Amino acid sequence: MTQYVYRFGGGVSDGGSGDKVLLGGKGANLAEMASIGLPVPPGFTIATTMCTRYYEEGQTFPDSVRDEVKTGIAHIEGVTGKRFGDPADPLLVSVRSGARISMPGMMDTVLNLGLNDQTVEGLASVSDDARFAWDSYRRFIQMYSDVVLELDHGRFEEALEIAKEDRGYYLDTDLTADDWRALVAQYKDIVVELWGKPFPQDVHDQLWGAIGAVFGSWQADRAKVYRRLNDIPGDWGTAVNVQAMVFGNMGDTSATGVAFTRDPSTGDNAYYGEFLINAQGEDVVAGIRTPQYLTTAARAAANAKPLSMEEAMPDAYAELAAVFDRLERHYRDMQDIEFTVQQGKLWMLQTRSGKRTAKAALKIAVDMAEEGLISREEAIARVDPQALDQLLHPTLDPKATRDVLTKGLPASPGAASGIAVFDSDTAERRANAGDAVILIRTETSPEDIHGMHAARGILTARGGMTSHAAVVARGMGRPCVSGAGSISIDAKAGVMKVAGREIREGDVVTIDGATGEVMAGAVATVQPELAGDFGTLMEWADGVRRLKVRTNAETPLDCRTARDFGAEGIGLCRTEHMFFEQSRITAVRQMILAEDEAGRRAALERLLPEQRSDFVEIFEVMVGLPCTIRLLDPPLHEFLPHAEAEFAEVAQAAGIEVEQLKRRAAELHEFNPMLGHRGCRLGVTYPEIYEMQARAIFEAAVIVAEKSGEAPIPEVMIPLVGTKRELELMKTVVDKAAQAVFTDKGRTIEYLVGTMIELPRAALKAGEIAEAGQFFSFGTNDLTQTTLGVSRDDASRFLGAYVEKGIYARDPFVSIDVEGVGELIELAAERGRKTRPDIKLGICGEHGGDPASIAFCETVGLDYVSASPYRVPIARLAAAQAALKK
């Protein structure tokens, strides 16, 4: 028969720290602490497997589990000498959740369970403290009514506040035993009023109600959201921990507290925490009273008057400090601890690896490695790569007040304040005048690139985590909130409406790209500090990773930023962004409007010096490194005007009639440009475009080689290839341009011609395509779109529901869909290598900065990943962790 209940305490430990999958983190660590002799109140854990069964069987419990729980209660009774439900000397228990990964505050807890109208009198008698007993009973009724009976918590709080006000009290601790007795009667009346039945008096009914509520809280909305945000699978379930109560509210010799063995904000090797005398755990967490500091040093630093625990309870503090050191050495990590002191005796209620800021995570990992507590490899594995975002971008001051208007998707980390503007031209103009601006758009397009570059941050009403706005913002290191569906934007009027409020052009707003929050007014930010620990850990990571890390960049600033962050070349340079520059858009449009090849070539000749200059600047930053340059990819209509005034302006500049321009724009219009005349299809139709770009690339490479003595290594990427013949035709164009430049300049340089694999057909026919291509770069943004048949710009409307319902484990535009898209990548890599064993393989979609996707790339054996500049350190660390796991 399957075992579901595991005991701990009193010399018994049915589990240990290695059983987190079965017992959850809290249950496993309670058993472990008990096994190493720490003072842990006895109890038992109902396994996570019971949570799964509970939902499978219609939220019911089998008789076998009820029998096991009886045995568990008997274990606690045997250790404590108290009996559950005994009117004379009652055993009280706590009922708490405990998933395998900590989910603080997301699931439910019930304390003081086992009190009723009879046992409260016994507790008062045996403790010789009626005030403590009735205080515990009112706490139990209030918590049980909220968690289990799901009654309005506010009604009980209101009754407590009125009771204090009527008596002229300020603190809960001012109330007497008679006061609490009277409040208990009120609480019971509220239960009858709201629930229609008296408060449960049978302690076994209370216990099973609490166990069911804790299992039930696994599917609470807040728990679902937390799991989705932290990639915790819904089928893991939670454990339930039932444990003998110890009491921190038994007078001035009792206390409760929460502590960390090191500072979770800074990582400093100093005890960090708070405690309260004569209180229970929820008093500290809920902020009902102002807690006191643990250490004298912390109290002095804060200039606080109330005594620290070190001063007020020196013996208990000394014992606690010894436990801190023992636990940190045992678990070899910073610990987050809950404790209670009951009439001078210390009890440990929980330990777990503590959550920490990125700055603290780096310092703790590096310090522990240098202390010899962990190895360098373990230090590398300890830091969450995604958390490095906190270090690389400005963040909002946590102490600053916020007027939150709405929330969208956290598309690009960092925080920024500025005046609201609703078009890119205005953004550029106001920025040039010295204003900090936030560009607010319904959605962005490549034509907004100048406005995005000028803005401090970007906010869009539409689009997902890999929409144009998100991708470009991350590349620029700009904070971005996308898909804020509750806002409506009237760009012409210069107004944004949200939640009954209006933000007009010039009003100050703040966005937080790490949380997705949009706020009215300015909120102070804190600039990042890349301290020595960052460099140390990155050096260690580089020593173990196999995957190279490149960057997606197309401006000199992006390139320099990426190089500063350790990029080893460019994995994707999108040349179309260069075409939108104000100084060259007219020539681009003249090229598009030309009636024949001669006209196109004339316009392209004017563009050539501009493109060459772009590449010179990039190659100077990336000298000696591989640079993958993608030739023109988007459909031509994106470069044409849309507004009536723009049509007139362009027609005048091009020397043609407005109607002729509109006719040409209509000819180029496509119903689905994503699948239309773009990528290599442009090159096949108009090879002179790719010829000009290739000439610019090779001329720039030769110029840089002559100036620096070391050439970059251009990798010319042909986009959207689906057949070998397409790549053959375009490679011929590139090779011909290269030879012409080399002949003209009297110098040759090393280069490669390859393709972006972004169509399922290309993946399937990779063996043939590799006959012509010297490298494959997997464009995972478009490969995900074309494989799943899902638009990345519209998917945010429904992908959240898909993840919640388990259709996808994660948003496939954030983390590679390994079963579908991943299989195509693996197949293409295998077939490409079979044809060309030395083929270079990498990815350049946004997945190149996602740790889970990087781990997949390591298993497939790709050569490199490419990420936006500010995600390069994340990719470096994730690549090291992937190599260590492999």
Side-chain angles (χ1 to χ4, degrees):
M1 186 173 67
T2 304
Q3 180 181 351
Y4 288 108
V5 171
Y6 295 78
R7 302 164 301 160
F8 58 82
V12 174
S13 284
D14 292 339
S17 60
D19 296 315
K20 288 185 178 180
V21 171
L22 180 66
L23 303 181
K26 184 174 292 185
N29 286 333
L30 284 168
E32 183 76 5
M33 284 197 294
S35 72
I36 63 174
L38 294 183
V40 175
F44 60 89
T45 300
I46 307 174
T48 57
T49 47
M50 185 62 239
C51 184
T52 306
R53 184 172 175 181
Y54 176 75
Y55 283 104
E56 287 174 349
E57 298 185 0
Q59 300 185 36
T60 60
F61 296 98
D63 291 340
S64 63
V65 170
R66 292 182 179 272
D67 291 338
E68 284 190 78
V69 168
K70 284 181 186 176
T71 303
I73 290 290
H75 164 67
I76 302 175
E77 291 174 334
V79 176
T80 62
K82 299 176 181 291
R83 296 189 63 78
F84 193 47
D86 182 356
D89 188 8
L91 167 69
L92 305 187
V93 297
S94 63
V95 182
R96 303 174 188 235
S97 63
R100 69 174 84 169
I101 289 179
S102 174
M103 296 172 56
M106 293 302 108
M107 289 179 292
D108 290 329
T109 294
V110 177
L111 303 180
N112 304 309
L113 190 143
L115 282 172
N116 58 26
D117 292 350
Q118 286 74 47
T119 57
V120 67
E121 300 288 2
L123 183 64
S125 175
V126 75
S127 66
D128 195 26
D129 189 344
R131 186 203 170 281
F132 148 72
W134 286 96
D135 175 31
S136 299
Y137 193 18
R138 71 91 188 173
R139 290 171 182 269
F140 171 54
I141 294 174
Q142 186 168 348
M143 189 172 279
Y144 194 91
S145 298
D146 177 25
V147 170
V148 182
L149 306 183
E150 298 182 336
L151 306 182
D152 180 6
H153 181 71
R155 287 291 301 277
F156 298 92
E157 284 294 329
E158 183 182 8
L160 172 58
E161 290 305 313
I162 290 172
K164 288 195 291 187
E165 192 175 303
D166 287 350
R167 292 162 177 78
Y169 297 152
Y170 177 69
L171 298 173
D172 296 0
T173 48
D174 294 335
L175 276 77
T176 65
D178 287 340
D179 295 331
W180 287 130
R181 190 192 300 264
L183 193 63
V184 163
Q186 283 184 260
Y187 277 10
K188 287 160 65 180
D189 289 342
I190 292 171
V191 171
V192 172
E193 177 193 342
L194 299 180
W195 195 43
K197 290 183 284 187
F199 186 81
Q201 294 291 305
D202 185 299
V203 295
H204 295 284
D205 288 346
Q206 293 174 359
L207 177 62
W208 284 104
I211 292 170
V214 172
F215 277 142
S217 66
W218 177 253
Q219 294 296 354
D221 288 343
R222 65 179 185 270
K224 288 179 180 177
V225 170
Y226 188 91
R227 289 201 298 272
R228 187 171 70 247
L229 293 176
N230 291 276
D231 300 317
I232 299 173
D235 59 4
W236 280 6
T238 182
V240 174
N241 299 286
V242 179
Q243 190 174 16
M245 281 293 300
V246 288
F247 301 97
N249 59 328
M250 293 188 76
D252 291 342
T253 60
S254 301
T256 190
V258 176
F260 295 81
T261 57
R262 302 191 187 211
D263 190 319
S265 295
T266 65
D268 290 340
N269 191 358
Y271 302 146
Y272 178 98
E274 299 171 323
F275 86 114
L276 273 174
I277 292 175
N278 195 19
Q280 285 197 338
E282 73 267 25
D283 296 342
V284 178
V285 176
I288 294 169
R289 289 161 52 193
T290 302
Q292 296 157 238
Y293 290 94
L294 277 188
T295 66
T296 306
R299 179 178 76 83
N303 198 27
K305 290 184 178 179
L307 295 179
S308 67
M309 184 178 179
E310 188 176 3
E311 296 162 307
M313 295 181 160
D315 293 340
Y317 174 81
E319 187 181 355
L320 182 65
V323 169
F324 284 171
D325 293 343
R326 188 172 176 187
L327 284 174
E328 192 172 271
R329 287 196 306 274
H330 183 79
Y331 285 100
R332 300 185 311 124
D333 197 6
M334 182 264 277
Q335 295 296 291
D336 170 3
I337 292 162
E338 292 180 17
F339 66 90
T340 286
V341 178
Q342 178 177 310
Q343 295 179 321
K345 179 172 174 53
L346 176 69
W347 293 96
M348 303 306 298
L349 304 183
Q350 174 177 287
T351 192
R352 61 189 175 193
S353 293
K355 294 191 179 298
R356 61 207 79 177
T357 65
K359 181 179 179 181
L362 281 169
K363 181 169 178 55
I364 290 169
V366 171
D367 284 355
M368 285 188 168
E370 292 180 341
E371 290 164 15
L373 197 60
I374 60 176
S375 67
R376 287 186 176 184
E377 289 76 17
E378 287 174 298
I380 292 166
R382 287 277 174 90
V383 178
D384 177 8
Q386 297 279 33
L388 294 181
D389 268 345
Q390 296 177 24
L391 298 177
L392 307 176
H393 300 269
T395 55
L396 292 181
D397 185 341
K399 298 174 185 175
T401 56
R402 307 182 184 197
D403 179 7
V404 179
L405 296 169
T406 187
K407 195 168 185 179
L409 297 171
S412 182
S417 298
I419 60 170
V421 297
F422 298 92
D423 68 88
S424 290
D425 291 340
T426 303
E428 188 172 52
R429 177 172 52 79
R430 296 291 294 262
N432 288 338
D435 292 329
V437 302
I438 302 296
L439 177 62
I440 303 174
R441 302 283 283 159
T442 301
E443 58 195 349
T444 62
S445 72
E447 213 165 340
D448 288 310
I449 195 74
H450 61 296
M452 297 174 74
H453 190 264
R456 296 284 180 90
I458 298 123
L459 168 63
T460 69
R462 291 191 204 140
M465 299 283 280
T466 56
S467 63
H468 176 267
V471 171
V472 174
R474 280 194 290 272
M476 292 178 170
R478 300 289 189 277
C480 176
V481 175
S482 65
S486 63
I487 66 176
S488 63
I489 297 167
D490 185 339
K492 285 186 178 179
V495 65
M496 174 181 83
K497 295 183 179 179
V498 56
R501 297 171 66 177
E502 288 189 353
I503 300 293
R504 295 191 169 274
E505 184 175 306
D507 292 344
V508 175
V509 294
T510 298
I511 63 169
D512 187 344
T515 65
E517 287 183 332
V518 181
M519 292 146 277
V523 180
T525 58
V526 180
Q527 289 300 315
E529 293 180 18
L530 299 183
D533 296 320
F534 175 86
T536 299
L537 194 79
M538 286 293 106
E539 183 181 333
W540 294 350
D542 290 341
V544 300
R545 67 180 165 89
R546 183 196 63 84
L547 279 165
K548 296 289 186 182
V549 176
R550 301 192 195 180
T551 188
N552 300 338
E554 48 269 341
T555 68
L557 177 60
D558 287 347
C559 293
R560 281 192 293 272
T561 300
R563 289 289 287 128
D564 289 343
F565 285 144
E568 297 161 305
I570 293 177
L572 176 64
C573 175
R574 307 173 181 91
T575 56
E576 60 269 12
H577 287 171
M578 304 167 178
F579 279 43
F580 282 100
E581 290 290 334
Q582 202 63 40
S583 61
R584 60 193 77 170
I585 189 68
T586 301
V588 173
R589 287 167 170 169
Q590 286 174 342
M591 181 267 293
I592 295 168
L593 296 170
E595 299 288 347
D596 53 24
E597 181 181 335
R600 285 191 295 274
R601 285 190 176 276
L604 288 166
E605 278 299 320
R606 288 193 290 277
L607 285 170
L608 176 62
E610 301 270 12
Q611 279 267 274
R612 183 174 57 230
S613 174
D614 291 330
F615 294 132
V616 165
E617 290 184 319
I618 289 170
F619 290 157
E620 283 176 339
V621 180
M622 294 289 174
V623 67
L625 296 174
C627 298
T628 304
I629 312 294
R630 184 178 71 185
L631 301 186
L632 192 65
D633 183 45
L636 296 179
H637 77 89
E638 287 196 6
F639 297 94
L640 292 179
H642 306 290
E644 193 69 31
E646 282 186 308
F647 272 114
E649 184 182 328
V650 172
Q652 183 178 2
I656 62 173
E657 296 295 324
V658 170
E659 290 308 313
Q660 182 183 347
L661 175 58
K662 288 184 175 179
R663 186 171 64 251
R664 180 62 173 150
E667 290 170 0
L668 290 171
H669 173 74
E670 294 179 298
F671 288 102
N672 193 342
M674 165 68 202
L675 303 177
H677 192 191
R678 53 166 285 216
C680 69
R681 299 159 192 172
L682 286 174
V684 170
T685 313
Y686 308 119
E688 56 274 12
I689 298 176
Y690 280 9
E691 179 188 325
M692 180 277 289
Q693 290 194 289
R695 278 181 58 200
I697 290 169
F698 295 120
E699 287 177 359
V702 169
I703 289 169
V704 172
E706 289 175 344
K707 284 169 61 177
S708 68
E710 189 176 9
I713 306 166
E715 297 176 350
V716 182
M717 178 196 283
I718 311 299
L720 211 73
V721 161
T723 70
K724 172 187 171 184
R725 183 61 179 152
E726 286 171 317
L727 184 54
E728 284 178 335
L729 288 170
M730 295 302 95
K731 186 174 188 301
T732 299
V733 171
V734 173
D735 287 341
K736 184 178 177 182
Q739 291 310 311
V741 171
F742 297 160
T743 300
D744 181 48
K745 301 295 183 182
R747 181 170 188 149
T748 62
I749 60 166
E750 178 189 347
Y751 73 94
L752 302 176
V753 179
T755 186
M756 182 182 278
I757 303 291
E758 51 195 320
L759 298 174
R761 190 185 197 282
L764 294 170
K765 304 303 288 183
E768 289 183 9
I769 294 172
E771 293 174 12
Q774 296 164 290
F775 69 86
F776 289 165
S777 180
F778 293 96
T780 52
N781 296 349
D782 278 355
L783 187 57
T784 298
Q785 290 194 111
T786 55
T787 301
L788 302 184
V790 174
S791 165
R792 63 179 178 176
D793 291 323
D794 299 323
S796 60
R797 299 175 189 173
F798 63 85
L799 274 181
Y802 266 51
V803 173
E804 190 174 306
K805 295 178 187 300
I807 297 170
Y808 295 124
R810 289 185 67 191
D811 183 333
F813 291 107
V814 174
S815 191
I816 286 175
D817 164 39
V818 173
E819 293 178 354
V821 176
E823 188 169 342
L824 283 174
I825 292 172
E826 197 164 3
L827 183 148
E830 179 185 326
R831 293 183 179 179
R833 286 195 186 108
K834 191 172 182 181
T835 298
R836 186 187 292 269
D838 64 345
I839 192 168
K840 189 179 288 189
L841 302 172
I843 70 167
C844 60
E846 282 299 295
H847 298 94
D850 168 59
S853 301
I854 291 168
F856 168 76
C857 294
E858 177 67 35
T859 63
V860 176
L862 300 189
D863 297 304
Y864 69 87
V865 298
S866 188
S868 53
Y870 280 84
R871 295 188 75 78
V872 166
I874 294 169
R876 290 166 64 195
L877 181 56
Q881 292 178 351
L884 290 172
K885 285 179 185 174
K886 190 175 180 182

